[in-house]
Amino acid sequence: MMDRLKLSRIDEELVSSEVAALCFLCGEVVNRKRLEGIKDAKALFLRLEEKGLLEDSVFLSQLLHIIRRADLLSLLETDSRRPEETDANPILSNYRVMLYKLYEDMTNEHFEKMKFLLHSKLGRRQVEACNTALDVFAEMEKNGFLSNTNLDELHKVMLELDQQLASLIKEYMQGFSGVTQPHLQTRLSPHVSMDYQRVNSTPQSPEPQPILPISETRQSMGGESVYCDAEPKIKASSLLDEIEYYALIHNPRGLCVVINNEEFRGTGLRNRGGTQEDEKVLNAVFSQLGFTVVVHNNLTAEAMRHEIQQLGTRNFMADDALVVCVLSHGEKGCVFGTDELKVSLREVTQPFTSSRAPTLAGKPKLFFIQACQGSAYQEGAVPCPPRPRQEDGDRRSRLEEDAGPVHGETVPTDADFLLGMATVPECKSFRNTSTGSIYIQELCEQLMRSARSSENDDILSVLTRVNREVSKGEYLSHKQMPEPKYTLTKKLVLKCV
């Protein structure tokens, strides 16, 4: 929890109009009734504490940025320039930030004309009680004339006031209809992503495509661009002992299904800026590895269950493997649909057990989950101890203790499963709002390095490198530790096709 003394100092610096603006911006993460009657920032901070939004300084620093009080950030002792987020607690919605931008750009003449135009819809008494444009917006919301998906009435009013104001709303509306507006992000806030790009959800061709240079899309990664070798690959079955290695003989190898949840409209969860970069790189990498990629964007919990259950009924006789990637918010042992309802990890994996999907028996089933698994942060202040000597008798027991408990709820009990988690239980995972999540980007980088290497690195060796590289970094002053869990019975080597 944040230092109360720091919060009190911030409260002393804020005037009443700024407090009112903060309350408006928090309208989708704190119940409206809980915000009524708040006169100072201390009362608002108590409401945010109740929602777990002041466990660190990230949420408050965004609020201060948007109301242009960056001078107070020094009190938070945070690096506000980092564009990383977690997939746990909600942050400010693009919708409210856009409305605040309108409020900032409106003149007093605009404000008076807006009240006049809305007299008949909102009622004279209600309109006259509004002291700012934010009050008017709130009144429109109460009367059902304004929401994050219903901006027609406000757009109509803004057209009467000023074309520039109307264009801001139009850009936001175009974002929801699938038109990418990258410049809107800069106009709104340095922390809020407006990436609403859509990807065709039909099966993608497994034919080789040029790989995007992953290293150019990541802040923390250097090195050369990664491409597949143009040389034809020798069939794995002709080189590797079939007793030790899973056979990969079909082309395509199988399906790679990506569930990519970006937009969480009308919920307490924020949109997941940067996740489209994860979808793109997963699509490119697994296409090169010989898989047919199918993408499902923005699924509710029920829709997720439906797609997974339908996939479980597939005849996998002509497939060598199955890959499922879920990109979403999450908690321990579950992921969220876009309606904020939970889908347990067991529900994700169970349809593919040998008893339920017999044509997958003996074949590798890979699940990669980019989601938080709790609200705690992985700490990184503990120095590495000296390497224990081989004769250290209790070495094994101490390593097992460090590994933490394995939860039966999330670990598949049948053979040939691999569950790659972005983070260990109880902890948050991080995502760069511009370049994608730390885990997925590193996973794809290491998969392609292995695929183009002359060495036959198996998937567990790849994931060990992912663990090492991710754990080296520092994200919003915290650490992240991925965790693979598996019941694989053979080695799996993925090469370009």
Side-chain angles (χ1 to χ4, degrees):
M1 196 65 66
M2 290 184 60
D3 190 327
R4 290 290 182 92
L5 182 59
K6 292 180 181 178
L7 295 177
S8 179
R9 289 175 179 170
I10 292 173
D11 168 68
E12 292 172 359
E13 295 291 331
L14 295 171
V15 299
S16 58
S17 61
E18 291 171 328
V19 173
L22 293 176
C23 289
F24 178 84
L25 288 168
C26 293
E28 289 188 19
V29 295
V30 178
N31 185 282
R32 183 181 295 164
K33 288 186 177 181
R34 299 289 291 156
L35 293 172
E36 290 178 358
I38 288 181
K39 301 298 182 186
D40 57 39
K42 292 194 294 292
L44 175 61
F45 295 155
L46 290 175
R47 301 291 185 269
L48 295 178
E49 278 186 346
E50 292 170 0
K51 302 291 289 185
L53 294 171
L54 293 184
E55 293 179 357
D56 55 49
S57 60
V58 176
F59 186 79
L60 184 53
S61 68
Q62 291 169 5
L63 286 172
L64 295 176
H65 259 297
I66 291 169
I67 67 169
R68 305 190 186 282
R69 290 304 306 268
D71 58 306
L72 300 179
L73 291 175
S74 59
L75 295 174
L76 300 179
E77 296 180 353
T78 183
D79 182 1
S80 59
R81 297 167 297 175
R82 298 289 293 275
E84 290 150 0
E85 299 177 352
T86 69
D87 280 331
N89 294 327
I91 64 165
L92 301 176
S93 71
N94 298 327
Y95 160 70
R96 293 218 167 257
V97 176
M98 180 271 296
L99 292 180
Y100 183 79
K101 178 62 178 173
L102 281 178
Y103 155 73
E104 273 194 318
D105 291 350
M106 289 177 66
T107 65
N108 190 58
E109 182 181 351
H110 290 147
F111 174 56
E112 293 299 331
K113 187 173 182 180
M114 178 172 68
K115 289 202 299 182
F116 176 78
L117 292 172
L118 291 170
H119 252 92
S120 59
K121 285 190 172 292
L122 302 181
R124 179 177 177 180
R125 181 180 300 177
Q126 287 78 3
V127 169
E128 289 180 351
C130 294
N131 297 314
T132 68
L134 297 181
D135 296 334
V136 176
F137 298 154
E139 198 63 40
M140 291 180 71
E141 289 178 328
K142 289 180 184 177
N143 285 269
F145 298 128
L146 179 62
S147 71
N148 61 346
T149 57
N150 177 21
L151 294 112
D152 291 339
E153 189 64 38
L154 183 60
H155 185 241
K156 192 185 304 180
V157 171
M158 291 301 152
L159 285 172
E160 296 293 326
L161 304 184
D162 185 277
Q163 288 292 329
Q164 284 293 103
L165 296 175
S167 69
L168 192 61
I169 300 176
K170 186 176 181 181
E171 289 174 5
Y172 175 84
M173 294 167 71
Q174 285 176 326
F176 276 116
S177 64
V179 179
T180 304
Q181 299 287 347
H183 59 286
L184 187 56
Q185 177 181 348
T186 305
R187 292 176 60 184
L188 293 179
S189 163
H191 283 275
V192 180
S193 170
M194 291 296 290
D195 180 9
Y196 290 97
Q197 183 176 353
R198 283 289 173 271
V199 180
N200 195 331
S201 62
T202 57
Q204 303 297 310
S205 170
E207 295 179 3
Q209 308 169 24
I211 287 291
L212 294 174
I214 300 170
S215 55
E216 291 182 9
T217 66
R218 305 201 38 219
Q219 290 181 336
S220 61
M221 183 165 293
E224 61 182 359
S225 300
V226 180
Y227 293 87
C228 273
D229 293 335
E231 300 174 8
K233 300 298 178 182
I234 301 174
K235 295 290 185 180
S237 59
S238 66
L239 296 176
L240 306 176
D241 188 342
E242 63 182 27
I243 296 176
E244 291 292 325
Y245 293 86
Y246 287 107
L248 300 178
I249 57 177
H250 292 92
N251 189 7
R253 300 292 192 227
L255 283 183
C256 171
V257 177
V258 180
I259 297 175
N260 179 32
N261 287 345
E262 176 187 9
E263 298 174 0
F264 293 78
R265 304 178 188 179
T267 72
L269 297 171
R270 65 179 179 272
N271 291 340
R272 300 181 60 257
T275 190
Q276 291 295 347
E277 296 305 312
D278 289 343
E279 182 276 318
K280 288 178 189 175
V281 75
L282 286 168
N283 197 327
V285 167
F286 280 99
S287 293
Q288 289 284 49
L289 295 177
F291 289 82
T292 300
V293 180
V294 180
V295 178
H296 300 291
N297 283 304
N298 297 318
L299 299 185
T300 64
E302 188 58 36
M304 289 173 67
R305 292 189 185 94
H306 174 76
E307 292 296 340
I308 290 167
Q309 289 165 5
Q310 283 293 108
L311 180 60
T313 66
R314 174 185 170 89
N315 185 339
F316 294 95
M317 285 297 293
D319 295 338
D320 296 321
L322 171 69
V323 179
V324 176
C325 306
V326 181
L327 317 173
S328 190
H329 289 290
E331 290 179 353
K332 183 179 176 181
C334 72
V335 290
F336 286 106
T338 55
D339 51 0
E340 205 177 356
L341 297 180
K342 298 177 182 179
V343 178
S344 72
L345 297 184
R346 188 61 179 152
E347 289 179 279
V348 174
T349 60
Q350 200 166 37
F352 309 102
T353 58
S354 298
S355 58
R356 296 199 178 191
T359 54
L360 268 178
K363 300 176 181 180
K365 298 161 276 282
L366 313 182
F367 294 81
F368 297 106
I369 310 296
Q370 170 55 46
C372 285
Q373 286 295 292
S375 59
Y377 285 106
Q378 183 75 41
E379 298 303 326
V382 181
C384 294
R387 180 178 297 182
R389 293 174 298 177
Q390 194 65 32
E391 60 268 24
D392 188 349
D394 64 347
R395 177 172 179 257
R396 178 175 174 81
S397 63
R398 283 190 282 121
L399 286 174
E400 289 177 342
E401 290 168 2
D402 289 343
V406 176
H407 300 278
E409 182 183 21
T410 61
V411 180
T413 56
D414 287 356
D416 308 302
F417 278 86
L418 184 144
L419 183 61
M421 303 297 299
T423 182
V424 294
E426 314 289 353
C427 289
K428 297 181 180 182
S429 60
F430 293 89
R431 172 174 34 80
N432 186 299
T433 56
S434 299
T435 62
S437 65
I438 307 304
Y439 174 67
I440 294 296
Q441 294 294 318
E442 186 65 53
L443 170 67
C444 290
E445 178 83 9
Q446 295 300 334
L447 282 171
M448 290 313 304
R449 287 188 177 182
S450 176
R452 69 192 294 270
S453 169
S454 60
E455 301 295 326
N456 289 319
D457 290 335
D458 70 301
I459 189 68
L460 297 183
S461 299
V462 172
L463 292 178
T464 299
R465 288 198 293 271
V466 173
N467 283 0
R468 181 172 64 247
E469 294 304 317
V470 172
S471 65
K472 285 180 182 178
E474 189 170 291
Y475 317 104
L476 296 176
S477 301
H478 296 284
K479 289 287 193 176
Q480 181 173 330
M481 186 68 248
E483 182 183 32
K485 306 175 183 181
Y486 67 96
T487 58
L488 298 178
T489 58
K490 299 181 182 182
K491 294 180 180 179
L492 175 63
V493 177
L494 297 174
K495 293 291 185 180
C496 295
V497 173

